[in-house]
């Protein structure tokens, strides 16, 4: 799985950009893979987890890359997308060396 990570400090537009990309792909014919959408963290931040598919290409989205440990850690969420067969993952990632390391384990 290839990972596209938007890296930055808090409140720099990572989640907003991911939401825009997600909306554009839906508009351009990608379909949600049923049963994967869920809100991550605070709903006001619009952080979410979902998978879209088009022509046998699956793209996973993780709008929250703030946590090092736990069920919603970026590492676990990326592993979840990989286990579900995603070809590409698009995620946000805070500028924390341990969180960045989770992203760098992918091409």
């Amino acid at each position: 799985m290839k990972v596209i990570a938007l890296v930055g400090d808090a409140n720099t537009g990572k989640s907003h950009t991911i939401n825009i990309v997600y909306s554009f792909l839906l508009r351009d014919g990608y379909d949600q893979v049923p049963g994967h959408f869920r809100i991550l963290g605070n709903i006001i931040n619009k952080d979410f987890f979902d998978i879209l598919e088009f022509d046998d290409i699956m793209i996973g989205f993780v709008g929250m890359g703030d946590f090092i440990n736990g069920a919603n850690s970026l590492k676990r969420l990326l592993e979840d997308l990989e286990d579900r067969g995603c070809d590409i993952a698009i995620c946000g990632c805070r500028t924390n060396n341990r969180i960045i390391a989770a992203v760098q384990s992918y091409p």
Side-chain angles (χ1 to χ4, degrees):
M1 177 177 77
K2 293 182 182 180
V3 175
I4 299 168
L6 303 173
V7 179
D9 293 328
N11 302 312
T12 57
K14 300 177 302 294
S15 295
H16 182 73
T17 302
I18 289 169
N19 277 277
I20 290 170
V21 171
Y22 181 81
S23 296
F24 282 175
L25 291 178
L26 285 172
R27 179 200 68 193
D28 292 345
Y30 280 75
D31 294 311
Q32 284 182 287
V33 176
H36 296 291
F37 182 84
R38 67 183 188 261
I39 299 294
L40 299 173
N42 186 335
I43 194 167
I44 294 169
N45 295 333
K46 299 183 181 177
D47 290 332
F48 70 99
F49 178 97
D50 202 9
I51 299 173
L52 301 181
E53 183 174 31
F54 184 80
D55 283 344
D56 295 325
I57 296 173
M58 292 177 55
I59 301 177
F61 289 83
V62 177
M64 181 173 69
D66 302 354
F67 298 108
I68 297 169
N69 298 310
N72 284 334
S73 71
L74 184 57
K75 180 179 179 182
R76 285 213 176 125
L77 293 168
L78 289 173
E79 288 170 349
D80 193 7
L81 291 175
E82 187 171 42
D83 290 346
R84 294 169 193 262
C86 288
D87 302 288
I88 300 168
I90 300 174
C91 66
C93 179
R94 287 269 180 99
T95 51
N96 175 298
N97 289 337
R98 288 181 58 199
I99 297 172
I100 291 171
V103 172
Q104 291 176 334
S105 67
Y106 294 92

